Amino acid sequence: MKITYSIIAPIFNEFENIPELYSRVSEVMNSTGEPWELVLVDDGSSDGSTDRIRELAKKDEKVRPVIFARNFGHQIAVTAGLDYSRGDAIVIIDADLQDPPEVILELAKKWREGYEVVYAIRAEREGETWFKLLTASLFYRLIYRITDVKIPLDTGDFRLLDRKIVGVMNQMREKHRFLRGMSAWIGFKQVGVEYKRSARKAGVTKYPLKKMVKFASDGITGFSYFPLQIATYLGFIAAGVAVLAIPLVAYTRIVTGLHAFEGQATTLIAVLFFGGVQLISLGILGEYIGRIYDEVKGRPLYVVREAPAKE
Ligand code: UDP
Ligand code: MG
Protein backbone atom coordinates (compact mmCIF):
# COMPACT_ATOMS: atom_id res chain seq x y z
CA MET A 1 0.00 0.00 0.00
CA LYS A 2 1.21 3.45 -0.80
CA ILE A 3 1.82 5.55 2.28
CA THR A 4 1.29 9.28 2.29
CA TYR A 5 2.61 10.31 5.71
CA SER A 6 5.47 8.88 7.77
CA ILE A 7 5.79 10.26 11.27
CA ILE A 8 9.17 9.68 12.90
CA ALA A 9 9.68 9.89 16.65
CA PRO A 10 13.10 9.20 18.26
CA ILE A 11 12.71 7.60 21.67
CA PHE A 12 15.24 7.51 24.46
CA ASN A 13 13.61 6.50 27.75
CA GLU A 14 10.17 7.97 27.07
CA PHE A 15 8.16 5.17 28.70
CA GLU A 16 5.42 7.44 30.04
CA ASN A 17 5.09 9.49 26.87
CA ILE A 18 4.66 6.68 24.35
CA PRO A 19 0.92 5.93 24.89
CA GLU A 20 -0.12 9.57 24.56
CA LEU A 21 2.22 10.10 21.63
CA TYR A 22 0.64 7.15 19.87
CA SER A 23 -2.96 8.15 20.63
CA ARG A 24 -2.54 11.80 19.68
CA VAL A 25 -0.64 11.05 16.50
CA SER A 26 -3.24 8.41 15.56
CA GLU A 27 -6.13 10.76 16.10
CA VAL A 28 -4.54 13.54 14.07
CA MET A 29 -3.37 11.30 11.25
CA ASN A 30 -6.62 9.33 11.00
CA SER A 31 -8.42 12.63 10.52
CA THR A 32 -6.53 13.12 7.24
CA GLY A 33 -8.16 9.98 5.83
CA GLU A 34 -4.88 9.05 4.16
CA PRO A 35 -2.55 6.13 4.79
CA TRP A 36 0.17 6.86 7.31
CA GLU A 37 2.77 5.11 9.45
CA LEU A 38 4.51 5.88 12.72
CA VAL A 39 8.21 5.03 12.77
CA LEU A 40 9.32 4.70 16.39
CA VAL A 41 13.09 4.58 16.74
CA ASP A 42 14.24 3.24 20.07
CA ASP A 43 17.61 4.82 20.77
CA GLY A 44 18.87 2.35 23.35
CA SER A 45 16.20 2.94 26.01
CA SER A 46 16.55 1.13 29.32
CA ASP A 47 13.24 2.03 30.99
CA GLY A 48 10.88 -0.37 29.22
CA SER A 49 10.17 1.91 26.27
CA THR A 50 11.45 -0.82 23.96
CA ASP A 51 8.76 -3.29 25.04
CA ARG A 52 6.10 -0.61 24.80
CA ILE A 53 7.14 0.02 21.22
CA ARG A 54 7.09 -3.70 20.44
CA GLU A 55 3.59 -4.06 21.93
CA LEU A 56 2.27 -1.14 19.92
CA ALA A 57 3.73 -2.58 16.76
CA LYS A 58 2.06 -5.90 17.45
CA LYS A 59 -1.31 -4.23 17.98
CA ASP A 60 -1.14 -1.76 15.12
CA GLU A 61 0.66 -2.46 11.89
CA LYS A 62 0.98 1.25 11.21
CA VAL A 63 3.68 1.35 13.88
CA ARG A 64 7.12 0.48 12.53
CA PRO A 65 9.64 -0.24 15.25
CA VAL A 66 13.35 0.36 14.72
CA ILE A 67 15.28 -0.81 17.77
CA PHE A 68 18.92 0.24 18.15
CA ALA A 69 21.62 -1.92 19.69
CA ARG A 70 22.57 0.98 22.01
CA ASN A 71 22.14 4.72 22.42
CA PHE A 72 23.45 6.44 19.29
CA GLY A 73 22.02 9.90 19.90
CA HIS A 74 19.00 11.86 18.81
CA GLN A 75 20.18 12.96 15.35
CA ILE A 76 21.22 9.43 14.44
CA ALA A 77 17.88 8.05 15.68
CA VAL A 78 16.02 10.48 13.44
CA THR A 79 18.32 9.50 10.57
CA ALA A 80 17.36 5.86 11.02
CA GLY A 81 13.73 6.95 11.00
CA LEU A 82 14.31 8.63 7.64
CA ASP A 83 15.96 5.48 6.32
CA TYR A 84 13.01 3.32 7.31
CA SER A 85 10.11 5.60 6.41
CA ARG A 86 8.16 5.05 3.22
CA GLY A 87 5.78 8.00 3.03
CA ASP A 88 5.60 10.79 0.45
CA ALA A 89 5.80 13.31 3.26
CA ILE A 90 7.91 12.64 6.31
CA VAL A 91 7.36 14.41 9.62
CA ILE A 92 9.95 14.45 12.40
CA ILE A 93 8.51 14.95 15.86
CA ASP A 94 9.82 14.70 19.44
CA ALA A 95 8.42 11.84 21.50
CA ASP A 96 7.99 13.96 24.63
CA LEU A 97 5.02 15.81 23.09
CA GLN A 98 6.77 19.16 23.15
CA ASP A 99 5.83 19.36 19.51
CA PRO A 100 2.03 19.06 19.43
CA PRO A 101 0.99 16.40 16.86
CA GLU A 102 -1.96 18.61 15.92
CA VAL A 103 0.48 21.01 14.21
CA ILE A 104 1.25 18.26 11.67
CA LEU A 105 -1.98 19.19 9.89
CA GLU A 106 -0.73 22.74 9.37
CA LEU A 107 2.59 21.43 8.06
CA ALA A 108 0.75 19.08 5.72
CA LYS A 109 -1.38 21.94 4.40
CA LYS A 110 1.76 23.83 3.32
CA TRP A 111 3.13 20.66 1.76
CA ARG A 112 -0.07 20.34 -0.27
CA GLU A 113 0.51 23.90 -1.43
CA GLY A 114 3.78 22.71 -2.96
CA TYR A 115 6.46 23.38 -0.34
CA GLU A 116 9.06 20.65 0.00
CA VAL A 117 10.31 21.56 3.48
CA VAL A 118 7.88 22.89 6.05
CA TYR A 119 9.67 23.64 9.28
CA ALA A 120 7.95 24.55 12.52
CA ILE A 121 9.14 27.76 14.18
CA ARG A 122 9.06 27.95 17.95
CA ALA A 123 7.17 31.19 18.45
CA GLU A 124 6.77 30.42 22.15
CA ARG A 125 8.40 27.86 24.39
CA GLU A 126 6.84 26.58 27.55
CA GLY A 127 8.54 24.96 30.51
CA GLU A 128 12.16 25.55 29.52
CA THR A 129 14.78 26.95 31.86
CA TRP A 130 15.99 30.51 31.21
CA PHE A 131 19.42 29.01 30.62
CA LYS A 132 18.18 26.79 27.79
CA LEU A 133 16.17 29.62 26.23
CA LEU A 134 19.13 32.00 26.33
CA THR A 135 21.75 29.55 25.05
CA ALA A 136 19.41 28.27 22.33
CA SER A 137 18.57 31.76 21.17
CA LEU A 138 22.25 32.80 21.07
CA PHE A 139 23.20 29.60 19.27
CA TYR A 140 20.62 29.97 16.50
CA ARG A 141 21.69 33.57 15.92
CA LEU A 142 25.39 32.72 15.95
CA ILE A 143 25.05 29.88 13.49
CA TYR A 144 22.87 32.05 11.26
CA ARG A 145 25.65 34.64 11.07
CA ILE A 146 28.64 32.40 10.56
CA THR A 147 27.33 29.85 8.08
CA ASP A 148 26.53 30.22 4.41
CA VAL A 149 23.49 28.00 4.71
CA LYS A 150 20.70 30.07 6.14
CA ILE A 151 19.30 27.85 8.83
CA PRO A 152 15.99 29.41 9.90
CA LEU A 153 16.06 30.92 13.39
CA ASP A 154 14.35 29.13 16.31
CA THR A 155 13.50 25.96 14.45
CA GLY A 156 14.17 22.49 15.74
CA ASP A 157 13.80 19.20 13.96
CA PHE A 158 10.00 19.33 14.07
CA ARG A 159 9.32 19.62 10.35
CA LEU A 160 7.78 17.99 7.31
CA LEU A 161 10.05 16.85 4.50
CA ASP A 162 8.98 15.85 1.04
CA ARG A 163 10.21 12.48 -0.24
CA LYS A 164 12.53 14.37 -2.64
CA ILE A 165 14.32 15.97 0.31
CA VAL A 166 14.58 12.72 2.23
CA GLY A 167 15.97 11.02 -0.86
CA VAL A 168 18.85 13.51 -0.89
CA MET A 169 19.27 13.42 2.87
CA ASN A 170 19.58 9.66 2.86
CA GLN A 171 22.60 10.06 0.60
CA MET A 172 24.28 12.46 3.03
CA ARG A 173 25.89 9.95 5.36
CA GLU A 174 27.99 12.32 7.45
CA LYS A 175 28.65 11.08 10.97
CA HIS A 176 28.19 14.31 12.90
CA ARG A 177 24.75 15.25 11.85
CA PHE A 178 22.88 18.50 12.16
CA LEU A 179 19.66 17.65 10.39
CA ARG A 180 18.06 21.07 10.49
CA GLY A 181 21.11 22.43 8.69
CA MET A 182 21.19 19.56 6.23
CA SER A 183 17.60 20.09 5.18
CA ALA A 184 18.24 23.82 4.74
CA TRP A 185 21.32 23.03 2.65
CA ILE A 186 19.33 20.90 0.21
CA GLY A 187 17.19 23.78 -0.93
CA PHE A 188 13.89 23.43 -2.84
CA LYS A 189 10.91 25.41 -1.63
CA GLN A 190 10.99 25.87 2.11
CA VAL A 191 8.57 27.62 4.42
CA GLY A 192 8.01 28.03 8.16
CA VAL A 193 4.89 27.64 10.27
CA GLU A 194 4.83 29.14 13.77
CA TYR A 195 3.72 27.07 16.73
CA LYS A 196 3.76 27.09 20.48
CA ARG A 197 6.20 24.55 21.88
CA SER A 198 4.73 22.93 24.96
CA ALA A 199 6.45 21.71 28.07
CA ARG A 200 7.67 18.12 28.20
CA LYS A 201 4.76 15.79 29.06
CA ALA A 202 6.62 13.45 31.40
CA GLY A 203 10.18 12.58 32.28
CA VAL A 204 13.24 14.79 32.04
CA THR A 205 15.23 16.20 29.14
CA LYS A 206 17.62 13.78 27.45
CA TYR A 207 19.80 16.69 26.38
CA PRO A 208 22.08 17.56 29.29
CA LEU A 209 24.55 20.42 28.84
CA LYS A 210 27.29 18.14 27.55
CA LYS A 211 25.11 16.82 24.71
CA MET A 212 23.92 20.33 23.94
CA VAL A 213 27.50 21.56 23.58
CA LYS A 214 28.36 18.63 21.31
CA PHE A 215 25.26 19.24 19.23
CA ALA A 216 26.11 22.94 18.91
CA SER A 217 29.68 22.19 17.84
CA ASP A 218 28.44 19.65 15.28
CA GLY A 219 26.19 22.35 13.87
CA ILE A 220 28.97 24.90 13.67
CA THR A 221 31.77 22.66 12.38
CA GLY A 222 29.39 20.94 9.96
CA PHE A 223 28.41 24.16 8.24
CA SER A 224 31.20 26.66 8.75
CA TYR A 225 34.96 27.20 8.70
CA PHE A 226 34.58 30.29 10.82
CA PRO A 227 36.31 28.82 13.90
CA LEU A 228 39.34 28.00 11.75
CA GLN A 229 39.34 31.51 10.36
CA ILE A 230 39.36 32.92 13.89
CA ALA A 231 42.79 31.35 14.36
CA THR A 232 44.03 33.10 11.22
CA TYR A 233 42.59 36.45 12.34
CA LEU A 234 44.16 36.08 15.79
CA GLY A 235 47.50 35.33 14.16
CA PHE A 236 47.36 38.46 12.03
CA ILE A 237 46.32 40.60 14.98
CA ALA A 238 49.13 39.23 17.17
CA ALA A 239 51.70 39.67 14.41
CA GLY A 240 50.41 43.21 13.79
CA VAL A 241 50.72 44.11 17.47
CA ALA A 242 54.29 42.75 17.48
CA VAL A 243 55.25 44.77 14.39
CA LEU A 244 53.98 47.94 16.05
CA ALA A 245 55.35 47.10 19.49
CA ILE A 246 58.95 46.42 18.48
CA PRO A 247 59.78 49.93 17.19
CA LEU A 248 57.76 51.43 20.06
CA VAL A 249 59.81 49.60 22.67
CA ALA A 250 63.09 50.37 20.89
CA TYR A 251 62.14 54.04 20.71
CA THR A 252 61.20 54.37 24.38
CA ARG A 253 64.32 52.54 25.54
CA ILE A 254 66.90 54.14 23.24
CA VAL A 255 65.59 57.61 22.54
CA THR A 256 63.70 58.53 25.72
CA GLY A 257 65.95 56.42 27.94
CA LEU A 258 62.99 55.17 30.03
CA HIS A 259 63.16 51.73 31.64
CA ALA A 260 59.95 50.66 29.94
CA PHE A 261 58.75 47.04 29.46
CA GLU A 262 61.34 45.59 31.79
CA GLY A 263 61.13 42.53 33.96
CA GLN A 264 59.84 39.02 33.87
CA ALA A 265 56.16 39.88 34.26
CA THR A 266 56.00 41.36 30.77
CA THR A 267 57.60 38.29 29.26
CA LEU A 268 55.49 35.91 31.31
CA ILE A 269 52.24 37.58 30.31
CA ALA A 270 53.17 37.54 26.64
CA VAL A 271 54.21 33.89 26.76
CA LEU A 272 51.08 32.78 28.60
CA PHE A 273 48.82 34.79 26.36
CA PHE A 274 50.22 33.41 23.14
CA GLY A 275 50.53 29.93 24.61
CA GLY A 276 46.81 30.15 25.33
CA VAL A 277 45.96 31.44 21.88
CA GLN A 278 47.98 28.67 20.27
CA LEU A 279 46.40 25.93 22.35
CA ILE A 280 42.92 27.21 21.59
CA SER A 281 43.76 27.26 17.89
CA LEU A 282 45.07 23.72 18.15
CA GLY A 283 41.89 22.67 19.91
CA ILE A 284 39.79 24.15 17.11
CA LEU A 285 41.91 22.30 14.56
CA GLY A 286 41.44 19.17 16.65
CA GLU A 287 37.65 19.51 16.49
CA TYR A 288 37.81 19.37 12.72
CA ILE A 289 40.48 16.67 12.55
CA GLY A 290 38.56 14.44 14.96
CA ARG A 291 35.52 14.75 12.73
CA ILE A 292 37.58 13.95 9.64
CA TYR A 293 38.88 10.87 11.46
CA ASP A 294 35.33 9.75 12.26
CA GLU A 295 34.34 10.13 8.62
CA VAL A 296 37.38 8.26 7.34
CA LYS A 297 36.69 5.25 9.52
CA GLY A 298 33.55 4.77 7.52
CA ARG A 299 31.60 2.96 10.21
CA PRO A 300 27.85 2.61 9.82
CA LEU A 301 25.86 5.40 11.46
CA TYR A 302 23.96 3.02 13.71
CA VAL A 303 23.41 -0.63 14.50
CA VAL A 304 19.89 -2.05 14.68
CA ARG A 305 18.77 -4.96 16.81
CA GLU A 306 15.33 -5.23 15.20
CA ALA A 307 13.89 -3.35 12.28
CA PRO A 308 11.30 -3.90 9.57
CA ALA A 309 12.45 -4.50 6.03
CA LYS A 310 13.47 -1.30 4.26
CA GLU A 311 11.54 -0.47 1.13
N1 UDP B 1 16.42 11.46 22.17
C1 UDP B 1 16.99 10.34 21.58
N2 UDP B 1 18.28 10.02 21.88
C2 UDP B 1 19.06 10.77 22.73
C3 UDP B 1 18.47 11.92 23.31
C4 UDP B 1 17.16 12.25 22.99
O1 UDP B 1 16.34 9.63 20.81
O2 UDP B 1 20.21 10.42 22.97
C5 UDP B 1 15.01 11.80 21.84
C6 UDP B 1 14.11 12.01 23.04
O3 UDP B 1 13.56 10.79 23.48
C7 UDP B 1 13.08 12.95 22.50
C8 UDP B 1 13.85 13.79 21.49
O4 UDP B 1 15.02 13.04 21.18
O5 UDP B 1 12.05 12.29 21.81
C9 UDP B 1 14.23 15.15 22.03
O6 UDP B 1 14.92 15.01 23.25
P1 UDP B 1 14.60 15.89 24.52
O7 UDP B 1 13.14 16.16 24.60
O8 UDP B 1 15.19 15.25 25.72
O9 UDP B 1 15.38 17.24 24.19
P2 UDP B 1 14.91 18.73 24.57
O10 UDP B 1 13.51 18.88 24.05
O11 UDP B 1 14.98 18.83 26.04
O12 UDP B 1 15.90 19.59 23.86
MG1 MG C 1 12.00 17.68 24.58
Side-chain angles (χ1 to χ4, degrees):
M1 186 177 59
K2 206 151 155 31
I3 288 169
T4 310
Y5 297 106
S6 295
I7 317 296
I8 301 173
I11 294 178
F12 180 46
N13 296 336
E14 306 283 2
F15 184 76
E16 292 155 272
N17 291 320
I18 294 172
E20 184 169 338
L21 173 73
Y22 170 72
S23 61
R24 274 173 68 185
V25 167
S26 300
E27 192 175 320
V28 170
M29 297 318 295
N30 286 336
S31 77
T32 65
E34 287 179 272
W36 59 276
E37 65 179 4
L38 176 61
V39 183
L40 295 177
V41 185
D42 174 39
D43 187 14
S45 299
S46 54
D47 67 342
S49 298
T50 318
D51 283 331
R52 275 224 156 138
I53 296 172
R54 287 194 186 110
E55 279 162 30
L56 273 183
K58 234 183 261 164
K59 231 175 48 193
D60 183 348
E61 60 172 18
K62 289 194 289 303
V63 175
R64 268 159 85 77
V66 178
I67 317 272
F68 277 3
R70 64 167 170 86
N71 177 253
F72 281 90
H74 169 227
Q75 298 286 296
I76 300 289
V78 173
T79 303
L82 296 174
D83 289 340
Y84 283 94
S85 55
R86 301 169 293 181
D88 295 330
I90 293 99
V91 179
I92 304 168
I93 193 167
D94 277 357
D96 60 0
L97 294 159
Q98 281 197 279
D99 308 326
E102 295 71 29
V103 178
I104 296 175
L105 297 178
E106 289 170 48
L107 304 182
K109 198 167 141 237
K110 286 281 172 199
W111 176 61
R112 290 289 181 203
E113 286 172 19
Y115 291 97
E116 280 107 349
V117 175
V118 190
Y119 49 85
I121 306 169
R122 301 159 173 180
E124 257 182 75
R125 297 179 75 161
E126 241 176 32
E128 303 275 21
T129 60
W130 66 266
F131 181 74
K132 179 126 183 176
L133 291 179
L134 180 73
T135 48
S137 165
L138 286 176
F139 169 68
Y140 289 124
R141 276 146 193 86
L142 172 76
I143 198 159
Y144 191 84
R145 288 194 76 129
I146 67 173
T147 59
D148 303 331
V149 184
K150 289 303 163 215
I151 301 168
L153 293 174
D154 303 319
T155 61
D157 288 326
F158 184 28
R159 57 186 59 219
L160 181 149
L161 306 170
D162 185 87
R163 171 54 53 195
K164 276 187 275 196
I165 301 282
V166 174
V168 180
M169 234 152 147
N170 288 352
Q171 290 172 25
M172 299 163 76
R173 301 313 281 181
E174 57 216 65
K175 300 283 174 308
H176 297 273
R177 304 175 77 76
F178 189 65
L179 297 167
R180 52 200 81 165
M182 290 163 63
S183 70
W185 179 88
I186 294 173
F188 286 112
K189 273 170 71 183
Q190 313 214 354
V191 72
V193 168
E194 289 198 347
Y195 80 112
K196 179 165 169 248
R197 188 158 159 92
S198 328
R200 187 173 241 288
K201 200 83 213 169
V204 292
T205 174
K206 308 298 174 324
Y207 259 100
L209 186 63
K210 202 173 142 211
K211 273 195 194 169
M212 256 162 62
V213 170
K214 186 187 167 288
F215 182 59
S217 57
D218 281 346
I220 292 171
T221 55
F223 288 90
S224 165
Y225 296 127
F226 184 70
L228 292 171
Q229 290 163 340
I230 292 180
T232 316
Y233 298 148
L234 279 176
F236 275 111
I237 292 170
V241 169
V243 167
L244 294 177
I246 293 164
L248 179 72
V249 172
Y251 175 80
T252 44
R253 290 277 190 93
I254 298 164
V255 180
T256 66
L258 289 172
H259 294 275
F261 305 108
E262 273 184 345
Q264 286 182 358
T266 330
T267 320
L268 193 67
I269 289 169
V271 168
L272 283 179
F273 178 74
F274 288 107
V277 168
Q278 283 170 356
L279 285 177
I280 292 170
S281 307
L282 264 183
I284 294 174
L285 267 180
E287 287 290 323
Y288 283 86
I289 294 175
R291 285 172 168 80
I292 297 171
Y293 182 49
D294 284 339
E295 295 298 338
V296 170
K297 281 189 281 191
R299 292 184 185 163
L301 288 180
Y302 53 85
V303 180
V304 290
R305 175 190 285 285
E306 295 159 41
K310 267 189 214 172
E311 274 157 68

